[in-house]
Amino acid sequence: MNSRAAVPTPVNEPVLSYAPGSPERVKFFKRLAELKAKKTEVPLFIGGTEIRTARKREIRSPYDHGQVIGKVNEGGVPEIKKAVAAAMKARKEWSRMPFQARAAVFLKAADLLAGDYRWTLNAATMLGQSKNLHQAEIDSACELIDFYRFNPHFAQEIYARQPDSSRGCWNRLQFRPLEGFVYAVTPFNFTAIAGNLPTAPVLMGNTVVWKPSGTAMLSAYWIMKLFEEAGLPPGVINLVAGPSGAISDILLPHPDMAGVHFTGSTPVFHSMWNAVAKNMPVYRSYPRLVGETGGKDFVMVHSSADPDAVAAALVRGAFEYQGQKCSAASRAYIPADLWPRIRKSMKDMLASIEVGSPEDPGCFVNAVIDRKAFDKIKAYIVNAKKDKSNKLVFGGTCDDSQGYFIHPTVIESSDPKSVTMREEIFGPVLTIHVYAEKKWKETLQLCDATSAYALTGAVFARERKAILEAELALENAAGNFYINDKPTGAVVGQQPFGGGRASGTNDKAGSFLNLIRWTSARTIKETFDPPKDYRYPWLGREPKAES
Ligand code: NAD
């Protein structure tokens, strides 16, 4: 109160190495063993109360599906309605709490997560979502810490944007929270997204009903515990679980539904958008619909590119976290003159990759998330093998005997519009189209027009002219465009993230562009010495000229 306290200048959280013998490795594996033994029961969190229901579901590890690691309580209609009531009740105080007090909760959460919570959330992410040491560290530790340190800084910048005032008056913009609750729906593949989607609106004074992915409930539970310890008041974020369609059927048509903060697949976001359109007359205000959705991310290679840099970017970009990043490279256009060299380099690297449990630090590639994903990805591979325009360059093995393991798979397709060049597979499958190097410009057009998505993309070239040509031709093909780098690994505060076309509303998570969507500005004009007479000076006739 009575101060203009500035949020500490944020800096990106350093990524720990987890090298053999490092203290972080010891601490992490100790916590992993504890968490495995604990078999966490995940309740619903409504109005600050943990609620257990009659309907329970087991949580199993994707890399060892015989292993039960906990259970989830699922809610029905009464619990979902209670969650809305709790959010609306908490809104009264939270929306009026000074910004510094709200920001402090998340700055504290960041510090807790940079400390002992790091091992817990990373272990939960490994156990529940099959991320290895590095993938868990960059996601559930570093990226989430960054969201909690950078967002208060961006919010402060938004609040500082004020209009001019002319003499005799004072104009202000008040960045009000939305009038209602926000419905946050999060995907399985990033613990950081799960932790950011409910909190970005909350930082701006909103309250939230949060539905995490059914396959990321263990990490969602520890995120709620982190909020509690950081001092988030009861009811500000209410976690619900259960069949997503049924939850949406209650929340989307609610008159107080003021916004949707979604990340996940394009068809689900379409269904939510349609439901909102259908319910338009019931809402108090036009709901804000913010959604980051699927991708078919490309790597466009020019013949001036460094072939080894291309090969390394493709291996990392396509196969880290089993290709289950929305930004993962999944189609590449390679000039015929470079293909033999890139193919050899990639095959050598891929041959050294071990596929297996993320608990074994030697395994670069681990299991995909669940049976449904395994079956879907396997079907793409089986069908691609049958297609005469395709050649299998590497991999193709799928094994679900113990966990959902799919080996890194590279397909060469002579048809640039084949199914695996166009559709999001969301697994470790990369399709390559080899083009005649003279057809660079045509291939740029082809890349732009092949897929409905426009999330991430990369160009590899040494010639500046080629880089510029790609930058222009692919202007609308990606919301995040990389030059001589893999298309994954956006860092909060450095590469604000989001895509256009079928990939989302492009409201750039981790930037002011996202936070501003959770506000509805009120303009306030105060006049210090208002006029006391309605008449303006112009209202009067010239005196009649004397004749
Ligand atoms: P998904 O669409 O299956 O699920 C996302 C969330 O929506 C989950 O919580 C799920 O339970 C819920 N859901 C499913 N049906 C619903 C319904 N009818 N109403 C409301 N909620 C519903 O996606 P996923 O498998 O968890 O994640 C993978 C997808 O997410 C991929 O398409 C990927 O590209 C995308 N993704 C995009 C970004 C991005 O920033 N663009 C980031 C991460 C993931």
Side-chain angles (χ1 to χ4, degrees), residues 68-133:
V68 175
I69 51 173
K71 58 185 166 191
V72 180
N73 287 268
E74 295 195 331
V77 177
E79 287 83 17
I80 310 305
K81 287 189 169 164
K82 265 191 207 155
V84 175
M88 291 306 290
K89 184 169 171 232
R91 187 185 180 282
K92 293 193 182 84
E93 271 195 18
W94 181 252
S95 63
R96 297 196 175 278
M97 200 175 257
F99 166 66
Q100 287 80 0
R102 298 199 309 267
V105 170
F106 294 104
L107 295 172
K108 177 166 179 177
D111 274 17
L112 291 169
L113 188 50
D116 201 48
Y117 258 92
R118 189 181 207 116
W119 324 120
T120 307
L121 206 55
N122 282 0
T125 301
M126 178 181 282
L127 259 184
Q129 290 141 264
S130 189
K131 288 208 170 185
N132 58 35
L133 283 168

Side-chain angles (χ1 to χ4, degrees), residues 270-336:
H270 281 187
S271 75
M272 295 173 99
W273 196 292
N274 281 332
V276 169
K278 217 167 67 197
N279 290 298
M280 208 57 238
V282 310
Y283 301 121
R284 191 188 304 281
S285 341
Y286 294 98
R288 300 282 165 92
L289 303 181
V290 174
E292 292 305 328
T293 59
K296 186 69 192 172
D297 311 300
F298 60 84
V299 173
M300 187 74 219
V301 182
H302 184 257
S303 46
S304 67
D306 174 343
D308 293 332
V310 172
L314 287 175
V315 170
R316 283 186 173 175
F319 303 121
E320 282 187 304
Y321 192 40
Q322 299 74 262
Q324 298 174 116
K325 299 189 184 189
C326 48
S327 54
S330 63
R331 55 181 167 131
Y333 301 82
I334 300 187

Side-chain angles (χ1 to χ4, degrees), residues 180-468:
F181 71 91
V182 173
Y183 178 25
V185 181
T186 56
F188 79 84
N189 68 333
F190 274 94
T191 301
I193 298 178
N196 180 48
L197 263 52
T199 55
V202 158
L203 180 67
M204 306 312 281
N206 299 278
T207 54
V208 165
V209 177
W210 172 31
K211 199 216 76 64
S213 164
T215 43
M217 290 308 298
L218 193 61
S219 53
Y221 170 78
W222 287 108
I223 291 172
M224 287 305 290
K225 286 293 179 193
L226 174 70
F227 295 156
E228 268 179 16
E229 202 168 326
L232 189 73
V236 172
I237 296 179
N238 302 278
L239 178 145
V240 296
S244 19
I247 295 175
S248 279
D249 285 348
I250 300 168
L251 295 185
L252 289 177
H254 198 289
D256 290 320
M257 206 285 290
V260 170
H261 203 188
F262 175 80
T263 296
S265 60
T266 301
V268 171
F269 191 48
H270 281 187
S271 75
M272 295 173 99
W273 196 292
N274 281 332
V276 169
K278 217 167 67 197
N279 290 298
M280 208 57 238
V282 310
Y283 301 121
R284 191 188 304 281
S285 341
Y286 294 98
R288 300 282 165 92
L289 303 181
V290 174
E292 292 305 328
T293 59
K296 186 69 192 172
D297 311 300
F298 60 84
V299 173
M300 187 74 219
V301 182
H302 184 257
S303 46
S304 67
D306 174 343
D308 293 332
V310 172
L314 287 175
V315 170
R316 283 186 173 175
F319 303 121
E320 282 187 304
Y321 192 40
Q322 299 74 262
Q324 298 174 116
K325 299 189 184 189
C326 48
S327 54
S330 63
R331 55 181 167 131
Y333 301 82
I334 300 187
D337 55 348
L338 292 190
W339 178 225
R341 171 87 186 269
I342 292 173
R343 184 177 51 208
K344 177 170 185 324
S345 182
M346 272 181 77
K347 282 173 96 166
D348 289 348
M349 289 183 209
L350 290 171
S352 73
I353 284 180
E354 289 184 41
V355 180
S357 165
E359 291 181 32
D360 173 356
C363 293
F364 186 82
V365 169
N366 316 108
V368 299
I369 192 69
D370 61 4
R371 154 85 43 214
K372 199 169 142 220
F374 179 87
D375 289 345
K376 181 180 155 198
I377 301 162
K378 187 176 170 188
Y380 270 109
I381 295 175
V382 169
N383 290 333
K385 281 183 188 165
K386 288 185 201 152
D387 183 337
K388 294 217 166 33
S389 62
N390 293 331
K391 263 193 283 189
L392 188 69
V393 177
F394 197 88
T397 309
C398 307
D399 176 1
D400 61 351
S401 50
Q402 190 181 0
Y404 304 112
F405 294 104
I406 298 189
H407 287 239
T409 298
V410 182
I411 297 162
E412 182 186 340
S413 182
S414 59
D415 174 5
K417 299 222 168 168
S418 66
V419 174
T420 63
M421 284 298 284
R422 277 187 288 113
E423 294 183 8
E424 181 179 54
I425 301 171
F426 221 59
V429 181
L430 169 68
T431 307
I432 284 165
H433 175 66
V434 179
Y435 70 93
E437 56 271 22
K438 278 193 222 100
K439 297 210 163 162
W440 162 248
K441 287 202 177 149
E442 293 90 320
T443 310
L444 286 175
Q445 298 309 325
L446 187 67
C447 175
D448 182 52
T450 294
S451 156
Y453 299 106
L455 190 52
T456 74
V459 60
F460 277 79
R462 280 184 275 218
E463 275 177 22
R464 183 47 58 178
K465 184 167 170 277
I467 294 172
L468 187 60

